[in-house]
Structures are given as C-alpha cells and as structure tokens.
Amino acid sequence: MRAVTWQGKRDVRVEEVPDPRIEEPTDAVIRVTSTGLCGSDLHLYEVLTPFMTPGDILGHEAMGIVEEVGAGVPDLQAGDRVVVPFQIACGNCWMCLTGLPTQCETTQVSTEGMGAPLFGYTRLYGAVPGGQAEYLRVPQAQYGPIKVPEGPADDRFVYLSDVLPTAWQAVAYADVPEGGSVAVLGLGPIGDMACRIARLQGADRVFGVDLVPERLRRARERGVETFDLRSFDDEKELLTAIRDRTDGRGPDAVIDAVGTEAHGSGAARLVQNAAALLPRKLGGPLAERFSVDRLAALYTAIDLVRRGGTVSVSGVYGGMADPMPLLTMFDKQIQLRMGQANVRRWSDEIIPYLTDDDPLGVDDFATHRLPLSDAPTAYDMFQRKRDGAVKVLMKP
Ligand SMILES: NC(=O)c1ccc[n+]([C@@H]2O[C@H](COP(=O)([O-])OP(=O)(O)OC[C@H]3O[C@@H](n4cnc5c(N)ncnc54)[C@H](O)[C@@H]3O)[C@@H](O)[C@H]2O)c1
Ligand SMILES: [Zn+2]
Ligand SMILES: [Zn+2]
C-alpha cells in the first residue's frame, strides 16, 4: 500500500510499504477513506525529530471502512464505516472506565514512561504505524473505532478522531462559568473548533487570538471577538485590550491551543536544533531531559486569565525542563488542566451535534481536500500557513 512516511526534518514522502494485517485477535484493519493533517503532525515534521525513525508512517486522524476484524472484536464487521480515535486504549481498565483512555493501563507505553500509545506519533508513544495511508491496522478495535452512519460525506465525522474531542475537552477543562468569558489562544483547527464549542455551550464572550489573517477571519465570522497578535507592540498591549473587555479582570478561562511552536519566543529553538543534530542514540534522551518549549502562548495564558480562573492547555508541550512562572501562578490562584484528549470520553456527547443543520460547521471546516500523494505539498503548505490552509484532509 501507499503511506506517508517520515524521512527527516521537513521531509515526508509517500512510499510503498507492506500492507497491515491482523496480528492480534483484538485488531481490525480499515481501508482509509479520509485522513487529517494536524498541528501535532507539525511537531514531528520539525521539532520532535529526535524521537522519530525514518520510515515511520504518520497520521492519527483517520476514518474508513472496516476490511477485516480479529476474533476478539465482536461489535465490528467488514463494511462498517468507522472513525478511529487517535489514541489506542482498551476500554476496560481502571483508567479507561474512569474516562481517561489516554492513560489506559493496558496499553501504556511503560518502556518510555508514557500514557496510551498514539497512531503515527514517535517512539515515545509506541511508534505505531499511522493513518495517513491506504490501510490502517487498529489495535484494541473492540473499544476504539466509533461507528458512524452511511450517507453524509466523511467531513461530517472525520473530526471525531481528534479535532472535536480535543476542542471539546479544552472547553470542558476550561470550566467557563455560566455567562462567563473565555479567550482562545491559537485559531488553528483546534482553537477554531474550541471557539465554536464554547459558543455552543453558552459562553457569553469568546475572544480569539492568532496572527494569521484568514484564521482570524474564520473565527470572526462565527462571532468570536478576534485579536491579531501582529497589531500589538508587546504582550502587555494585548493583555490590556482583552482585559478592557472584561471589566479589567481578564477572562474567566484561557485555552492554549498553540503549543510548543508558539510564535513569539525563539530561545528554545537552539536547544531543539542542537538535540536534533546529535547521533540518534544520544539525541532522544538528551532532548527528553533538557528540552525547553517555546512557551510564549502558555505565558500569555497565565498572564491573561483572571485571578482564580482556569487555564486549559490543549497545545502539545514536550519539554522536561520548562521554566514556569510559579510565583504568578500561585499568587493568581490559577487552575491548570491539560493533556491529550480522551476521545471516547467525549465522543457520545459530540455525535448529536453532527447533524444536517451542522451547528459546529464541520461540513465545510476543511479548507483543502487533497489526494494522499500530495502529502509532501500538504505538510509544507500547512506548516507555512500558505494558500489559506487551516484544515487539510487527504484522500488515499
Ligand atoms: N491535546 C490534544 O489531544 C491535542 C490534539 C490535537 C492537537 N493538539 C495540539 O493543539 C495545538 C493546535 O493544533 P492545531 O491543529 O490547531 O495546530 P496549528 O499549528 O494549525 O494552530 C496553532 C495556531 O497558533 C497560532 N499561534 C502561534 N503562536 C501564537 C501565539 N503566541 N499566540 C496566539 N496564537 C499563536 C498559529 O498561527 C496557528 O494558527 C498543537 O500544539 C497540537 O499539537 C493537541
Ligand atoms: Zn490531530
Ligand atoms: Zn484501558
């Protein structure tokens, strides 16, 4: 089959690789019909390279048609239409039953000290072949895949794999009080969707911050009060502008939908680049122990949130030695919640909104639909935010 493989920094290629097959009774193999490109893939493209191996198959936002199931997957059969959550969990351990499949005790990548494995996401997360491919082997298929009805185009459902539950969890963790306000930093797919969900759930004021004009426009068109980072001389001016709209206090909650590649501080790039140049054996551990994220967005979130408010972090950070402003966090009595989205924890709550009247605007959420063979162009375009690319779906 053809699959998108990682070959090196900013180097992905579509290559012929062996077809996946059933290896465990709890496996399924699906024929992928749509597969998303995510901000998280961009970390692998550029920053997390020490944790990648050339030839790794990328992608964690796939849906498709079940081809084959193992004997331990009673509820799926060939021909079913399914969306595959980006994490692999058993559905039956203490963590899964608590609603935390990202921490699944059956599948945890204990050799790396990490939680549940993720499709197409570095050896830290199990080096599992990903879903930007013609076929995908889905482990723990007795729990993961979400069955969806025939009829609507893939666009209606594909975001259940990641964007929707991630944005949903971001808003749930933000815990915006009735009639309250929330600021969303970053208006990529995750931040944009988080704004939509916050409004749907009744947040009174939703503020959105980014620096890409078409991303700001998309949010503004759906009622978000937007702020263009480029129009402020410094962070203080931005904080003042948003505080002015919240009685001088700051929003009740701030969602960080940016993560480690935040625009606005370059210091950590040096460390990341240095680690990426080391021999593979050294590069991994070293990057792991000494890495520092670019923390501009997280610092802004902590400064901006009102005293006693909540910071909800969806953006991915990977540093082990990040300097955090604990004086401010403690003094402002901030609550901080974060993590990978627990997909199946939220999917049943979300599905009722995936209807013909489309309250979340999923049907035209994608800005680009490309064949899988265009993956190298798609990655480049999405990373550089060219051609109005906000969400890219690929069709094998
Ligand atoms: N927690 C999870 O389960 C989960 C799931 C999916 C994605 N993510 C993470 O969420 C983040 C966003 O994902 P995405 O797909 O929307 O990616 P994206 O890269 O398209 O979006 C990030 C946006 O942040 C903007 N930005 C950069 N610096 C900023 C700053 N200082 N202030 C405000 N905006 C800034 C960029 O212009 C961009 O529009 C990524 O870090 C991704 O890894 C997490
Ligand atoms: Zn994703
Ligand atoms: Zn489990």
Side-chain angles (χ1 to χ4, degrees):
M1 67 161 183
R2 313 274 290 160
V4 180
T5 61
W6 184 93
Q7 298 295 342
K9 190 167 176 174
R10 269 182 261 118
D11 181 5
V12 303
R13 294 180 213 159
V14 180
E15 293 200 322
E16 196 64 39
V17 301
D19 285 350
R21 49 183 186 79
I22 303 283
E23 292 173 23
E24 301 283 336
T26 47
D27 286 353
V29 171
I30 72 155
R31 177 172 59 80
V32 177
T33 54
S34 287
T35 186
L37 181 49
C38 177
S40 295
D41 295 321
L42 293 181
H43 307 322
L44 312 182
Y45 196 55
E46 173 108 35
V47 179
L48 294 178
T49 52
F51 304 111
M52 299 295 288
T53 308
D56 281 353
I57 300 176
L58 296 167
H60 59 268
E61 301 189 350
M63 71 174 288
I65 306 294
V66 175
E67 281 275 310
E68 201 185 341
V69 294
V73 187
D75 297 334
L76 282 186
Q77 55 187 51
D80 284 346
R81 190 184 196 200
V82 293
V83 183
V84 182
F86 71 87
Q87 69 232 195
I88 297 165
C90 78
N92 204 27
C93 69
W94 190 89
M95 283 292 176
C96 284
L97 294 173
T98 316
L100 290 167
T102 54
Q103 315 301 323
C104 175
E105 288 172 339
T106 308
T107 63
Q108 274 175 13
V109 187
S110 42
T111 47
E112 301 284 348
M114 302 295 278
L118 312 180
F119 287 103
Y121 219 76
T122 75
R123 65 171 170 72
L124 290 178
Y125 285 105
V128 185
Q132 289 167 6
E134 287 179 299
Y135 294 91
L136 176 66
R137 171 183 165 241
V138 182
Q140 304 290 340
Q142 80 290 352
Y143 174 64
I146 304 163
K147 268 202 247 188
V148 296
E150 299 297 331
D154 281 1
D155 298 54
R156 179 75 60 87
F157 303 115
V158 69
Y159 306 115
L160 281 169
S161 59
D162 182 343
V163 174
L164 285 165
T166 298
W168 198 272
Q169 177 169 300
V171 174
Y173 282 7
D175 202 16
V176 185
E178 189 70 34
S181 56
V182 58
V184 178
L185 307 181
L187 297 171
I190 302 300
D192 184 346
M193 189 54 78
C195 290
R196 298 177 189 205
I197 292 167
R199 285 180 56 78
L200 184 81
Q201 297 188 350
D204 194 39
R205 311 279 300 264
V206 179
F207 308 107
V209 183
D210 205 297
L211 53 149
V212 182
E214 63 272 11
R215 295 180 179 216
L216 289 157
R217 187 176 346 106
R218 249 163 86 106
R220 201 157 50 238
E221 282 167 7
R222 298 187 72 99
V224 175
E225 301 174 51
T226 57
F227 297 82
D228 185 343
L229 211 56
R230 296 168 311 165
S231 63
F232 299 97
D233 284 336
D234 54 24
E235 192 211 32
K236 211 163 145 223
E237 268 188 26
L238 169 72
L239 299 189
T240 306
I242 300 180
R243 283 193 188 125
D244 282 350
R245 300 201 197 176
T246 51
D247 298 328
R249 255 177 232 120
D252 297 306
V254 180
I255 292 171
D256 172 351
V258 180
T260 182
E261 276 147 275
H263 182 90
S265 76
R269 180 159 293 241
L270 268 180
V271 183
Q272 287 153 356
N273 284 347
L277 288 175
L278 291 169
R280 179 157 305 276
K281 274 211 181 77
L282 284 178
L286 206 71
E288 214 169 328
R289 262 181 291 142
F290 299 110
S291 59
V292 180
D293 291 295
R294 289 198 277 163
L295 291 164
L298 189 54
Y299 287 162
T300 302
I302 291 165
D303 280 344
L304 176 60
V305 73
R306 72 156 163 81
R307 289 179 176 273
T310 305
V311 172
S312 167
V313 182
S314 288
V316 166
Y317 291 95
M320 287 295 271
D322 287 331
M324 291 292 287
L326 280 165
L327 174 68
T328 308
M329 294 165 75
F330 185 83
D331 181 62
K332 286 183 73 174
Q333 210 156 348
I334 287 169
Q335 312 190 50
L336 182 59
R337 303 188 69 187
M338 63 181 100
Q340 304 280 6
N342 297 286
V343 175
R344 294 301 306 262
R345 163 76 179 80
W346 311 108
S347 53
D348 289 349
E349 283 178 42
I350 299 168
I351 286 170
Y353 295 97
L354 305 179
T355 50
D356 283 346
D357 56 345
D358 196 14
L360 292 170
V362 290
D363 288 350
D364 56 8
F365 192 69
T367 51
H368 292 73
R369 295 174 186 79
L370 300 170
L372 192 72
S373 52
D374 284 354
T377 318
Y379 269 78
D380 183 64
M381 173 180 71
F382 182 52
Q383 191 198 33
R384 293 172 199 262
K385 302 177 178 62
R386 282 196 291 106
D387 299 334
V390 182
K391 189 67 189 180
V392 182
L393 292 180
M394 295 183 286
K395 306 258 177 199

